[in-house]
Amino acid sequence: MAGRGRRDRRGETSPLRLVAVAAVLVGLVLVSLRLLPGSPFESTAAAKWGRGDSPPRGDALTDRSVRSSPSPSPSPEPEPLPFTAGKLDLDIDGWYGWSVLDRRSGEIIGSEDMAETSTTASMIKSWIVADYLRRTADAGQTPSDAKLDDLTRIIRDSDNTRTEQLYTQIGRSASIERLLSTCELTDSKVASDRGWSRTELSPRDTARLGNCIADGTAAGPKWTKWLLDEMRQVRGAGDFGIRKAFPAAEAKKIAIKNGWVDRTKEQEMHVNCLAIGDTWTMGVMLQYPINKGYEYGMDNCEKITDALLTAAP
């Protein structure tokens, strides 16, 4: 009896083994059905990514190397300046020079003699006011209302008495030395003790001064907008020149500071024009016989500008 029991355990299949084998067979059938095309048990991943493809791994969905990227749009070309470079053939007595600076690129165009200098007269007042405002802000101070009124008179009305007082307050020729270094002028000269009116700038450095004001370097970030607004409101005898060549709607947005003086020693009139537009700055300077008067230079400053605008494409 004992030997027979041993034969049962070795020669007969256990019910548990049968169950295990059946489970394996069922599993194989289900796997086959998932892989069979058209089967209701077909793998959803395979259906999603297409037969014969494998679903992406990891972060392939966010990997730009496996997806097409849109081509970057080319940067639009900047609008050309409203001026053209070229030699002007104008019937103007005496000497004149002009220069235009592109504020976007720093490129400068101008007459062949744009590096020659002339005395600035009242045009330099734009720097004197800017120098005072920047240094006052740097010292943590704010000009009084009375002082701001003085500065308005200097810019809008070209008040000489107030200019002389302010020039002395900021160190006289030391202020012009700061102009040359701060605005990186290359042609200009300090008038030493001969006064602000005798400061020598070139048309090219005049355009650079305009850019120095426009970009906030001259007056500093706190006062630049105020100064430009004042320069847009120049009035009376000082309202002439460059912006007069533009349509009225555009002219009112152009900031200016002009200068005019009779040099009896040289028997010359010196007339100068500085203008600041949205994308450009411009300087025009003239010297001519003193007997022709102020208006001759004022009109020719506008005439030079108009010729450059007319020639522009």
Side-chain angles (χ1 to χ4, degrees), residues 204-245:
R204 177 167 62 181
D205 277 352
T206 298
R208 287 169 173 158
L209 168 59
N211 189 54
C212 190
I213 293 171
D215 70 11
T217 301
K222 183 175 181 180
W223 291 103
T224 293
K225 182 179 182 301
W226 183 92
L227 177 57
L228 288 171
D229 285 344
E230 291 298 311
M231 292 174 69
R232 292 186 184 101
Q233 298 180 69
V234 169
R235 58 199 175 192
D239 184 12
F240 64 86
I242 295 171
R243 73 177 177 188
K244 293 292 185 179

Side-chain angles (χ1 to χ4, degrees), residues 55-135:
R57 302 180 191 178
D59 59 352
L61 284 174
T62 59
D63 184 353
R64 296 181 180 179
S65 65
V66 297
R67 295 193 299 171
S68 60
S69 300
S71 301
S73 300
S75 300
E77 288 293 326
E79 287 291 325
L81 295 181
F83 309 94
T84 187
K87 185 176 181 180
L88 300 181
D89 185 16
L90 302 175
D91 184 18
I92 298 177
D93 286 346
W95 169 87
Y96 68 89
W98 63 272
S99 183
V100 173
L101 183 149
D102 188 331
R103 291 180 54 198
R104 301 162 299 184
S105 66
E107 181 183 0
I108 297 176
I109 61 173
S111 57
E112 292 180 355
D113 50 4
M114 66 179 175
E116 293 188 24
T117 63
S118 184
T119 62
T120 62
S122 293
M123 189 174 67
I124 199 64
K125 294 171 182 176
S126 59
W127 165 258
I128 294 173
V129 170
D131 193 33
Y132 166 80
L133 289 169
R134 185 191 69 260
R135 298 177 76 236

Side-chain angles (χ1 to χ4, degrees), residues 52 63 192 195 306 313:
D63 184 353
S192 189
D306 187 62

Side-chain angles (χ1 to χ4, degrees), residues 25-189:
L25 291 174
V26 170
L28 290 174
V29 171
L30 290 176
V31 169
S32 299
L33 289 174
R34 285 172 60 83
L35 298 176
L36 184 65
S39 167
F41 298 98
E42 183 181 4
S43 169
T44 55
K48 178 178 180 181
W49 295 106
R51 299 182 184 94
D53 295 334
S54 298
R57 302 180 191 178
D59 59 352
L61 284 174
T62 59
D63 184 353
R64 296 181 180 179
S65 65
V66 297
R67 295 193 299 171
S68 60
S69 300
S71 301
S73 300
S75 300
E77 288 293 326
E79 287 291 325
L81 295 181
F83 309 94
T84 187
K87 185 176 181 180
L88 300 181
D89 185 16
L90 302 175
D91 184 18
I92 298 177
D93 286 346
W95 169 87
Y96 68 89
W98 63 272
S99 183
V100 173
L101 183 149
D102 188 331
R103 291 180 54 198
R104 301 162 299 184
S105 66
E107 181 183 0
I108 297 176
I109 61 173
S111 57
E112 292 180 355
D113 50 4
M114 66 179 175
E116 293 188 24
T117 63
S118 184
T119 62
T120 62
S122 293
M123 189 174 67
I124 199 64
K125 294 171 182 176
S126 59
W127 165 258
I128 294 173
V129 170
D131 193 33
Y132 166 80
L133 289 169
R134 185 191 69 260
R135 298 177 76 236
T136 299
D138 288 347
Q141 301 172 359
T142 301
S144 65
D145 289 343
K147 193 67 173 182
L148 288 175
D149 183 64
D150 286 343
L151 303 184
T152 291
R153 298 291 185 88
I154 291 171
I155 296 297
R156 296 191 195 183
D157 303 317
S158 212
D159 188 292
N160 287 334
T161 301
R162 288 177 169 85
T163 301
E164 184 66 23
Q165 293 169 348
L166 184 63
Y167 187 60
T168 299
Q169 181 181 348
I170 61 178
R172 300 188 69 80
S173 62
S175 175
I176 307 304
E177 294 283 4
R178 289 191 292 271
L179 163 63
L180 304 189
S181 60
T182 302
C183 297
E184 300 181 354
L185 307 189
T186 60
D187 314 318
S188 303
K189 303 172 185 176

